[in-house]
Amino acid sequence: MIKAILTDIEGTITRISFVKEILFPYAAKHLAGFVKNSQDEPQVRAQLDAVRAEIAQPDASLDTVIDTLLGWIEADKKITPLKQLQGLVWQDGYQQKDFTGHIYPDAHAYLTAQHQAGTALYVYSSGSVKAQQLLFAHSDFGDIRGLFSDYFDTRVGAKQQPESYHNIVQNLPFEAHEVLFLSDVVAELDAAKAAGLQTLQLWRDDQPKSPNHAFITSFEHL
C-alpha cells in the first residue's frame, strides 16, 4: 500500500523548458551582479567558500568563482553551492514577479487530491530546497507549499544513487516499499527501485522508457 509519494520536479510536475528557458537563463544573467552585491552576506559567503573548496582553490578571486559558477550553469552541473546561489537569485525574480513557477495542471490536480486523501507528499529535486519552495510559493496556482510534508535536494546525495533514497526514507515515517517515487528520468527511477521504493515514470517529452517501470503520460491516467 502506498502511504507516501516522493516526486521529482523538472519534467515530472513542471515542464523541462521552464527550467531550461526561464530559470537557468535568469540565473545566468543575474548571478554575477547578485554575488558581487551580496558577497558579504553570511549565506552567500558560505556558498562562495563552498565553490572554492569544490575547485580546490581556497584563495580564488571573486571573479574566478563567478566564472566557475557560470561555467557550471552552462554545463548544467548539479553542484550544491551553485544550486543554493541559483535559489537566492530566483527568489528575487519571483518576488519581483518576473515569472511564476510552472506546474502542470494535471500534476496540481493529482497532488491536491492525494494530499486531501491523506497521502504524505515529499519532493526530491536536484534544485535546492530553497529553489523548490520558491517555485511552489509562487506557482501558477498560487502558494502550494502546504501540499508537501518535506523537501530534499542533493545534500542527501545524487539522484542516480540508491543510497540517496535510503537517506530520504530514513527521514520518513514509512518503509521504502510504502513510498512511490515519481520521475521522468529512468536512471533516477532505477536508483529508487534499487532502494526498495515503488516507481512510476512520467513520460511527457519522449524521454527514454524502461520496461522496469510503469509509466503514464499524464496524471489524468491514474
Side-chain angles (χ1 to χ4, degrees), residues 194-219:
L197 283 70
Q198 299 189 54
T199 58
L200 178 65
Q201 182 180 20
L202 270 296
W203 195 63
R204 295 187 184 273
D205 298 299
D206 295 331
Q207 305 96 321
K209 286 189 291 188
S210 167
N212 296 324
H213 309 284
F215 76 92
I216 55 173
T217 58
S218 168
F219 285 106

Side-chain angles (χ1 to χ4, degrees), residues 141-156:
F141 297 92
D143 187 346
I144 60 171
R145 288 174 295 176
L147 294 177
F148 303 102
S149 298
D150 207 350
Y151 306 82
F152 301 93
D153 57 23
T154 53
R155 287 175 292 185
V156 302

Side-chain angles (χ1 to χ4, degrees), residues 141-202:
F141 297 92
D143 187 346
I144 60 171
R145 288 174 295 176
L147 294 177
F148 303 102
S149 298
D150 207 350
Y151 306 82
F152 301 93
D153 57 23
T154 53
R155 287 175 292 185
V156 302
K159 295 185 71 181
Q160 298 183 2
Q161 297 296 324
E163 186 62 29
S164 304
Y165 300 88
H166 286 298
N167 293 338
I168 290 174
V169 170
Q170 288 176 356
N171 286 278
L172 307 184
F174 306 103
E175 299 295 327
H177 68 273
E178 296 174 323
V179 181
L180 173 66
F181 177 58
L182 307 173
S183 178
D184 62 317
V185 179
V186 171
E188 296 175 5
L189 295 163
D190 288 344
K193 190 170 185 177
L197 283 70
Q198 299 189 54
T199 58
L200 178 65
Q201 182 180 20
L202 270 296

Side-chain angles (χ1 to χ4, degrees), residues 51-107:
V51 174
R52 293 184 174 102
E54 185 74 26
I55 63 176
Q57 297 182 38
D59 298 321
S61 68
L62 186 63
D63 285 340
T64 296
V65 171
I66 290 173
D67 288 343
T68 299
L69 289 164
L70 294 177
W72 287 347
I73 292 176
E74 181 69 23
D76 193 20
K77 296 290 187 180
K78 314 295 187 183
I79 300 176
T80 297
L82 169 63
K83 295 301 180 181
Q84 299 298 318
L85 289 168
Q86 283 178 319
L88 294 171
V89 173
W90 292 332
Q91 176 176 303
D92 289 346
Y94 283 117
Q95 291 176 343
Q96 295 168 17
K97 301 187 185 303
D98 292 336
F99 46 79
T100 58
H102 172 262
I103 301 289
Y104 283 115
D106 63 292

